[in-house]
């Protein structure tokens, strides 16, 4: 599954969505709907390692690629979510090369890192998997680093030099706050910085991702070489649909 995802990312484009619900049905629906990946969010929202385990089972049922966004203070969380079967991790607020190196260290078994070893976990099929196959397959988990703050922007060149990151993800909302225009994700200064990060990452051979909540921005960033786009959040999409339905059935038009 991980190899196919990486290949599609390399050759083409992957379409995803954020999830902040705790109901596995939502994850199944996203898979049935055709999304390539889901980012299950532990940075914002009510989920915990315990609730996420069921969401990962639901992802497997429909073949949607599950990435878990951990919190900024992630030292124990990265190993925990990989142990329960996340195929990738996404880490917010990467500020410098040391942050990036630490993520790689916590995500990979030796010789690439020093992730804590346990083969009696869901990711190793509760010990039924050959231990050496598990260690080598686990070391292919997708690593996504979020650049969204002033230090991260400043240090992007050094971050790109760190071996092991698969995707540099630009968080436009935090980035807009960093640039003094909170929430204005279409502000020219935000757009300019995003374009700079995209150019540098593409030049450095690292795929770029971002978050969008309009189709226009999805088209714009895809056209500029962004290959991993998370379109909005399950709860937001559901809310928008509710508003539309209520307007329609009460005669208010759409
Ligand atoms: C941001 O826009 O800051 C994000 O982290 C998107 O998820
Ligand atoms: Mg953010």
């Amino acid at each position: 599954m991980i190899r196919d995802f990486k290949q599609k990312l390399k050759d083409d484009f992957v379409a995803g969505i954020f999830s902040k619900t705790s109901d596995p049905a939502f994850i199944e629906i996203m898979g049935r709907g055709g999304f390539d990946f889901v980012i299950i969010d532990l940075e914002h929202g009510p989920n915990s390692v315990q609730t996420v385990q069921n969401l990962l089972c639901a992802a497997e049922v429909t073949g949607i690629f599950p990435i878990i966004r951990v919190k900024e203070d992630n030292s124990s969380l990265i190993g925990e979510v990989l142990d329960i079967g996340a195929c990738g991790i996404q880490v917010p607020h990467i500020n410098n090369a040391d942050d990036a190196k630490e993520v790689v260290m916590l995500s990979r078994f030796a010789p690439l890192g020093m992730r804590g070893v346990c083969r009696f976990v869901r990711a190793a099929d509760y010990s039924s998997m050959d231990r050496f196959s598990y260690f080598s397959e686990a070391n292919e988990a997708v690593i996504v680093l979020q650049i969204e703050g002033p230090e991260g922007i400043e240090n992007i060149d050094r971050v790109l030099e760190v071996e092991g990151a698969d995707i540099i993800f630009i968080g436009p909302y935090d980035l807009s706050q960093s640039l003094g225009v909170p929430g204005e994700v279409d502000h020219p200064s935000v757009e300019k910085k995003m374009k700079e990060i995209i150019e540098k990452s593409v030049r450095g051979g690292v795929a770029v991702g971002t978050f969008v909540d309009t189709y226009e921005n999805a088209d714009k960033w895809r056209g500029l070489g962004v290959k991993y786009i998370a379109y909005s959040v399950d709860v937001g999409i559901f809310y928008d649909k509710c508003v539309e339905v209520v307007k329609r059935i009460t005669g208010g038009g759409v």
Side-chain angles (χ1 to χ4, degrees):
M1 192 182 197
I2 296 179
R3 286 205 184 134
D4 291 347
F5 183 81
K6 286 187 175 175
Q7 198 60 48
K8 189 163 187 203
L9 178 70
K10 187 163 172 257
D11 297 343
D12 190 7
F13 170 83
V14 287
I17 176 171
F18 268 89
S19 179
K20 294 192 199 297
T21 57
S22 309
D23 185 344
F26 271 84
I27 306 292
E28 287 184 296
I29 292 163
M30 291 163 192
R32 300 272 178 234
F35 280 110
D36 295 300
F37 70 96
V38 53
I39 305 169
I40 300 169
D41 200 1
L42 290 185
E43 184 193 14
H44 298 290
N47 271 312
S48 64
V49 171
Q50 202 171 1
T51 58
V52 160
Q53 178 155 293
N54 290 331
L55 305 182
L56 292 170
C57 297
E60 241 171 70
V61 171
T62 50
I64 188 170
F65 194 84
I67 303 232
I68 296 190
R69 179 162 77 172
V70 296
K71 294 178 200 304
E72 191 176 346
D73 174 14
N74 54 53
S75 45
S76 62
L77 210 46
I78 290 179
E80 286 175 43
V81 299
L82 290 172
D83 279 353
I84 59 172
C87 292
I89 48 132
Q90 181 155 330
V91 184
H93 299 285
I94 294 293
N95 289 323
N96 51 48
D98 284 344
D99 287 352
K101 280 184 202 154
E102 162 143 301
V103 171
V104 175
M105 203 65 180
L106 294 167
S107 310
R108 302 281 189 241
F109 294 123
L112 306 175
M114 272 296 155
R115 175 177 161 195
V117 181
C118 177
R119 66 182 188 86
F120 298 89
V121 289
R122 182 169 181 271
D125 293 340
Y126 305 103
S127 77
S128 70
M129 224 175 139
D130 169 73
R131 70 190 68 178
F132 301 108
S133 309
Y134 168 54
F135 298 149
S136 75
E137 280 176 34
N139 268 359
E140 294 189 19
V142 170
I143 296 180
V144 187
L145 303 179
Q146 287 194 202
I147 298 290
E148 48 194 349
E151 275 188 71
I153 299 166
E154 177 84 17
N155 295 318
I156 181 72
D157 295 312
R158 299 280 92 78
V159 171
L160 283 167
E161 282 166 11
V162 175
E163 281 282 314
D166 298 290
I167 300 168
I168 292 290
F169 183 94
I170 308 166
Y173 277 93
D174 276 303
L175 185 65
S176 67
Q177 176 166 267
S178 311
L179 295 170
V181 287
E184 294 185 53
V185 294
D186 295 319
H187 192 280
S189 65
V190 177
E191 192 168 294
K192 183 163 171 268
K193 275 291 168 221
M194 287 182 71
K195 284 182 177 163
E196 271 174 39
I197 298 169
I198 293 167
E199 246 172 60
K200 285 185 175 183
S201 305
V202 170
R203 220 182 308 130
V206 183
V208 192
T210 195
F211 171 82
V212 297
D213 48 15
T214 63
Y215 295 130
E216 292 72 23
N217 280 347
D219 291 344
K220 176 174 74 183
W221 296 123
R222 188 176 178 182
L224 287 167
V226 175
K227 292 188 147 207
Y228 169 100
I229 289 187
Y231 179 85
S232 200
V233 181
D234 49 11
V235 288
I237 293 173
F238 187 60
Y239 168 77
D240 288 345
K241 202 68 199 172
C242 289
V243 171
E244 183 189 310
V245 170
V246 171
K247 266 195 193 155
R248 259 299 162 89
I249 67 174
T250 56
V254 183

